[in-house]
Amino acid sequence: MSAASRAPQRSNRALRVRRRAVLTAGAAVAALLVSACGSGGTSGGGGNTNFVVGPDGISTVAKGERVAAPDLSGKTLEGEHLDVADFQGKVVVLNVWGSWCNPCRAEAKYFAKVSEEYADQGVQFVGINTRDSSAGSALAFEKDFGITYPSLYNPTGKLMLRFEKGTLNPQAIPSTLILDRDGKIAARSLTALSEERLLKMLKPVVAEK
């Protein structure tokens, strides 16, 4: 077989490999977010995990047993670069959301309100927008609910795959994580939050010294 005839075969094989990789990544994201946009997800807590799930569904970790959040960086909905690690020294509220998600719409007004009330207390809110096919619909969502903090644009959900298995990782849409001032995961909820439940997650971490 000539080199010329072998070249298309190599190209086809490479294409098939790339397609399998994309499908595998997509399946992993789908499995991770199997509870997406429902009434809640699974809280975990077995094995060697160190978090405790309260009766309200909020999972927390003692200060000395927390793990660092993974690299969460990329382009925002406005096309600007954002790296969550740059906010170390602040308490960070991470909210995974989609404009298509009704529970996300239900909680959005509370996130907008609390983010403004705590802006001068060393608290930074960051959204992770996922599974929106265009940034336009997500930006319209933010405008409708008065959300002024930035959101990473993550349509494929790949950022969620960076969280270690067995830690307080986001497993549903919406999910909310609280990072302490050292960039470690202190609390998580896998359901839409009222203002009361959001503050119940946030206030203890803000009060830490």
Side-chain angles (χ1 to χ4, degrees), residues 104-128:
C104 301
R105 303 183 74 83
E107 70 177 7
K109 60 184 178 182
Y110 306 123
F111 280 78
K113 180 175 183 285
V114 175
S115 69
E116 293 183 0
E117 291 176 348
Y118 277 76
D120 61 351
Q121 298 187 45
V123 177
Q124 175 66 50
F125 278 63
V126 177
I128 300 178

Short mmCIF file of all heavy atoms in Angstrom, two decimals, residues 104-128:
data_model
loop_
_atom_site.label_atom_id
_atom_site.label_comp_id
_atom_site.label_asym_id
_atom_site.label_seq_id
_atom_site.Cartn_x
_atom_site.Cartn_y
_atom_site.Cartn_z
N CYS A 104 -33.23 27.22 39.06
CA CYS A 104 -32.25 28.31 39.02
C CYS A 104 -32.95 29.66 38.98
O CYS A 104 -32.51 30.63 39.61
CB CYS A 104 -31.35 28.16 37.79
SG CYS A 104 -30.43 26.61 37.71
N ARG A 105 -34.04 29.73 38.25
CA ARG A 105 -34.81 30.96 38.18
C ARG A 105 -35.43 31.28 39.54
O ARG A 105 -35.52 32.44 39.95
CB ARG A 105 -35.90 30.85 37.11
CG ARG A 105 -35.38 30.52 35.72
CD ARG A 105 -36.48 30.50 34.68
NE ARG A 105 -36.92 31.84 34.35
CZ ARG A 105 -36.30 32.63 33.47
NH1 ARG A 105 -35.23 32.19 32.82
NH2 ARG A 105 -36.75 33.85 33.23
N ALA A 106 -35.85 30.24 40.27
CA ALA A 106 -36.47 30.45 41.57
C ALA A 106 -35.49 31.03 42.59
O ALA A 106 -35.88 31.84 43.44
CB ALA A 106 -37.05 29.13 42.08
N GLU A 107 -34.22 30.65 42.53
CA GLU A 107 -33.26 31.09 43.52
C GLU A 107 -32.48 32.34 43.11
O GLU A 107 -31.82 32.96 43.94
CB GLU A 107 -32.26 29.98 43.84
CG GLU A 107 -31.28 29.67 42.72
CD GLU A 107 -30.24 28.62 43.09
OE1 GLU A 107 -30.35 28.02 44.19
OE2 GLU A 107 -29.33 28.39 42.28
N ALA A 108 -32.56 32.73 41.85
CA ALA A 108 -31.70 33.79 41.32
C ALA A 108 -31.85 35.11 42.06
O ALA A 108 -30.87 35.81 42.34
CB ALA A 108 -31.97 34.00 39.83
N LYS A 109 -33.08 35.49 42.42
CA LYS A 109 -33.29 36.77 43.08
C LYS A 109 -32.61 36.81 44.45
O LYS A 109 -32.14 37.88 44.90
CB LYS A 109 -34.78 37.06 43.23
CG LYS A 109 -35.56 36.04 44.05
CD LYS A 109 -37.05 36.37 44.06
CE LYS A 109 -37.85 35.32 44.83
NZ LYS A 109 -39.30 35.63 44.80
N TYR A 110 -32.52 35.65 45.11
CA TYR A 110 -31.85 35.61 46.41
C TYR A 110 -30.34 35.77 46.26
O TYR A 110 -29.70 36.44 47.08
CB TYR A 110 -32.19 34.31 47.13
CG TYR A 110 -33.66 34.05 47.26
CD1 TYR A 110 -34.24 32.88 46.75
CD2 TYR A 110 -34.51 34.98 47.86
CE1 TYR A 110 -35.60 32.64 46.86
CE2 TYR A 110 -35.88 34.75 47.97
CZ TYR A 110 -36.42 33.58 47.46
OH TYR A 110 -37.77 33.35 47.55
N PHE A 111 -29.79 35.17 45.23
CA PHE A 111 -28.35 35.31 44.98
C PHE A 111 -28.01 36.75 44.62
O PHE A 111 -26.98 37.29 45.07
CB PHE A 111 -27.90 34.34 43.88
CG PHE A 111 -27.70 32.95 44.38
CD1 PHE A 111 -28.78 32.11 44.61
CD2 PHE A 111 -26.43 32.46 44.66
CE1 PHE A 111 -28.60 30.83 45.10
CE2 PHE A 111 -26.23 31.18 45.14
CZ PHE A 111 -27.32 30.36 45.37
N ALA A 112 -28.85 37.38 43.82
CA ALA A 112 -28.62 38.78 43.46
C ALA A 112 -28.64 39.66 44.70
O ALA A 112 -27.77 40.53 44.89
CB ALA A 112 -29.67 39.24 42.45
N LYS A 113 -29.60 39.45 45.57
CA LYS A 113 -29.76 40.26 46.79
C LYS A 113 -28.60 40.05 47.76
O LYS A 113 -27.97 41.02 48.23
CB LYS A 113 -31.09 39.91 47.46
CG LYS A 113 -31.40 40.68 48.74
CD LYS A 113 -32.81 40.32 49.23
CE LYS A 113 -33.20 41.13 50.46
NZ LYS A 113 -32.52 40.66 51.67
N VAL A 114 -28.29 38.80 48.07
CA VAL A 114 -27.25 38.51 49.06
C VAL A 114 -25.87 38.91 48.53
O VAL A 114 -25.02 39.39 49.30
CB VAL A 114 -27.29 37.02 49.47
CG1 VAL A 114 -26.13 36.68 50.40
CG2 VAL A 114 -28.62 36.70 50.14
N SER A 115 -25.63 38.75 47.24
CA SER A 115 -24.32 39.14 46.68
C SER A 115 -24.06 40.62 46.87
O SER A 115 -22.92 41.03 47.14
CB SER A 115 -24.24 38.76 45.19
OG SER A 115 -25.12 39.57 44.42
N GLU A 116 -25.09 41.44 46.77
CA GLU A 116 -24.91 42.88 46.96
C GLU A 116 -24.77 43.22 48.45
O GLU A 116 -23.96 44.07 48.82
CB GLU A 116 -26.08 43.63 46.34
CG GLU A 116 -26.12 43.52 44.82
CD GLU A 116 -27.24 44.33 44.20
OE1 GLU A 116 -28.00 44.98 44.95
OE2 GLU A 116 -27.36 44.33 42.95
N GLU A 117 -25.53 42.54 49.29
CA GLU A 117 -25.48 42.83 50.72
C GLU A 117 -24.14 42.45 51.35
O GLU A 117 -23.71 43.06 52.33
CB GLU A 117 -26.61 42.09 51.43
CG GLU A 117 -28.00 42.63 51.11
CD GLU A 117 -29.12 41.83 51.75
OE1 GLU A 117 -28.84 40.72 52.26
OE2 GLU A 117 -30.26 42.31 51.72
N TYR A 118 -23.48 41.42 50.79
CA TYR A 118 -22.23 40.93 51.37
C TYR A 118 -20.99 41.36 50.58
O TYR A 118 -19.88 40.93 50.90
CB TYR A 118 -22.27 39.41 51.50
CG TYR A 118 -22.99 38.94 52.75
CD1 TYR A 118 -24.37 38.99 52.83
CD2 TYR A 118 -22.28 38.49 53.86
CE1 TYR A 118 -25.04 38.58 53.98
CE2 TYR A 118 -22.93 38.08 55.01
CZ TYR A 118 -24.32 38.14 55.07
OH TYR A 118 -24.96 37.75 56.22
N ALA A 119 -21.15 42.21 49.61
CA ALA A 119 -20.02 42.61 48.77
C ALA A 119 -18.93 43.33 49.57
O ALA A 119 -17.74 43.22 49.25
CB ALA A 119 -20.50 43.51 47.63
N ASP A 120 -19.32 44.04 50.63
CA ASP A 120 -18.34 44.78 51.43
C ASP A 120 -17.90 43.99 52.66
O ASP A 120 -17.27 44.55 53.56
CB ASP A 120 -18.90 46.14 51.85
CG ASP A 120 -20.16 46.02 52.71
OD1 ASP A 120 -20.69 44.89 52.85
OD2 ASP A 120 -20.62 47.05 53.25
N GLN A 121 -18.23 42.69 52.69
CA GLN A 121 -17.82 41.85 53.82
C GLN A 121 -16.84 40.76 53.38
O GLN A 121 -16.72 39.72 54.03
CB GLN A 121 -19.05 41.22 54.46
CG GLN A 121 -20.02 42.24 55.05
CD GLN A 121 -21.14 41.59 55.83
OE1 GLN A 121 -20.92 40.68 56.64
NE2 GLN A 121 -22.37 42.05 55.61
N GLY A 122 -16.15 41.00 52.28
CA GLY A 122 -15.15 40.04 51.82
C GLY A 122 -15.75 38.81 51.19
O GLY A 122 -15.17 37.72 51.29
N VAL A 123 -16.90 38.95 50.54
CA VAL A 123 -17.57 37.82 49.89
C VAL A 123 -17.69 38.09 48.39
O VAL A 123 -18.12 39.17 47.98
CB VAL A 123 -18.97 37.58 50.48
CG1 VAL A 123 -19.68 36.45 49.73
CG2 VAL A 123 -18.88 37.26 51.97
N GLN A 124 -17.30 37.12 47.59
CA GLN A 124 -17.37 37.23 46.13
C GLN A 124 -18.26 36.11 45.59
O GLN A 124 -18.01 34.94 45.85
CB GLN A 124 -15.98 37.12 45.50
CG GLN A 124 -15.98 37.10 43.99
CD GLN A 124 -16.46 38.41 43.38
OE1 GLN A 124 -15.98 39.49 43.74
NE2 GLN A 124 -17.39 38.33 42.45
N PHE A 125 -19.28 36.47 44.86
CA PHE A 125 -20.13 35.48 44.18
C PHE A 125 -19.59 35.26 42.76
O PHE A 125 -19.19 36.21 42.09
CB PHE A 125 -21.57 35.98 44.08
CG PHE A 125 -22.39 35.76 45.33
CD1 PHE A 125 -22.05 36.38 46.52
CD2 PHE A 125 -23.51 34.94 45.31
CE1 PHE A 125 -22.79 36.19 47.68
CE2 PHE A 125 -24.27 34.74 46.45
CZ PHE A 125 -23.92 35.37 47.64
N VAL A 126 -19.60 34.01 42.33
CA VAL A 126 -19.20 33.65 40.96
C VAL A 126 -20.17 32.58 40.46
O VAL A 126 -20.40 31.57 41.14
CB VAL A 126 -17.76 33.09 40.90
CG1 VAL A 126 -17.42 32.65 39.46
CG2 VAL A 126 -16.76 34.12 41.38
N GLY A 127 -20.74 32.79 39.31
CA GLY A 127 -21.60 31.78 38.70
C GLY A 127 -20.81 30.88 37.76
O GLY A 127 -19.75 31.27 37.25
N ILE A 128 -21.32 29.69 37.57
CA ILE A 128 -20.82 28.80 36.52
C ILE A 128 -22.02 28.44 35.66
O ILE A 128 -22.84 27.61 36.05
CB ILE A 128 -20.14 27.53 37.09
CG1 ILE A 128 -18.95 27.91 37.98
CG2 ILE A 128 -19.68 26.62 35.96
CD1 ILE A 128 -18.26 26.71 38.62
#
